[in-house]
Amino acid sequence: PVRLEEVSPRYVEAVLAYEDTWFRWHPGVNPVALLRAAVQWVWHGRIVSGGSTLTMQVARMLEPAAYPKRTLGAKLRQIVRAVQLEVRLSKREILELYLTYAPMGGVLEGVEAASRGYLGKSSLSLSHGEAALLAVLPQAPSRLRPDRYPERARTARDKVLERLVGRWGEAAVRDARQEPVIAQTLREPLFAPLFADRVRKLHPH
């Protein structure tokens, strides 16, 4: 489990700015985002954006088998579960669940595993560019893996940085854009404990 104070504030700021600006105020769902997603669905004839809040994403992370496809029924179940989480947990607890379980590519889950796996450092010491990079990975963890697709990862990272100009300032964002995306290849010794942990979760007895 990852505690909030064990992660760089830059990463938390990047996640909230990119994933869920109204996280600290909404009750688990964002009606405006859902309405926008519904309009896009009607217009395009398919789901373009899910309108998911951070809490809804946590609901999916905790019970992935319950939401196998992006269907209306699955989205409604996700909304109900998100509201239940908001009733039972504090915003801090929900955010810490996201920090712990967000998919980061390969077998990596959570910002600390991703930071050590890709960057070889603690998530507490992330630079602005690194924070933005890891913040975008859960959107498409396989397609944006920085160790395999650095150019895709860089393009996605820069989209996150665009949203943070108002918070970090133009100078900091400009410097962050200049940071190269260099990620180490995930090593087998890192896989073993993560795989063992997953096995324990699936077969606790």
Side-chain angles (χ1 to χ4, degrees):
V2 177
R3 305 287 294 174
L4 196 56
E5 57 269 14
E6 297 170 343
V7 178
S8 169
R10 292 169 179 167
Y11 176 77
V12 176
E13 290 168 354
V15 165
L16 295 182
Y18 189 70
E19 294 284 1
D20 192 351
T21 306
W22 299 99
F23 170 72
R24 299 192 186 280
W25 297 279
H26 65 61
V29 296
N30 185 332
V32 175
L34 288 176
L35 179 61
R36 181 176 64 247
V39 170
Q40 291 174 338
W41 179 39
V42 171
W43 182 261
H44 295 279
R46 59 186 174 84
I47 296 178
V48 177
S49 66
S52 293
T53 62
L54 211 64
T55 312
M56 291 169 65
Q57 293 182 51
V58 168
R60 188 170 60 244
M61 292 171 194
L62 294 178
E63 299 178 293
Y67 317 102
K69 297 180 179 180
R70 299 180 72 182
T71 63
L72 182 59
K75 182 62 64 176
L76 291 175
R77 289 195 300 272
Q78 194 177 357
I79 289 172
V80 171
R81 183 62 70 189
V83 173
Q84 290 176 334
L85 287 173
E86 291 278 351
V87 169
R88 298 182 181 182
L89 303 176
S90 67
K91 289 290 186 179
R92 176 191 176 95
E93 289 171 324
I94 293 170
L95 183 55
E96 287 179 343
L97 284 171
Y98 183 89
L99 298 178
T100 301
Y101 292 109
M104 294 292 191
V107 298
L108 298 183
E109 290 182 348
V111 62
E112 185 65 18
S115 185
R116 292 188 181 276
Y118 293 128
L119 307 175
K121 63 195 300 185
S122 164
S123 60
L124 192 59
S125 57
L126 294 173
S127 67
H128 290 91
E130 291 166 343
L133 172 66
L134 296 188
V136 78
L137 287 188
Q139 283 288 322
S142 297
R143 192 173 63 84
L144 297 178
R145 280 183 57 166
D147 60 331
R148 293 183 178 178
Y149 311 108
E151 286 306 314
R152 290 182 192 171
R154 181 182 185 126
T155 299
R157 177 203 69 182
D158 289 351
K159 290 181 180 179
V160 179
L161 289 172
E162 287 177 12
R163 299 194 184 186
L164 288 157
V165 172
R167 186 171 186 90
W168 288 352
E170 292 185 5
V173 169
R174 182 173 60 249
D175 291 344
R177 283 176 173 273
Q178 299 305 312
E179 293 181 28
V181 173
I182 301 175
Q184 61 189 16
T185 302
L186 298 183
R187 298 165 305 202
E188 290 300 325
L190 183 66
F191 287 178
L194 289 167
F195 177 73
D197 184 57
R198 280 192 168 186
V199 170
R200 282 196 298 270
K201 290 177 183 177
L202 292 172
H203 306 284
H205 303 298

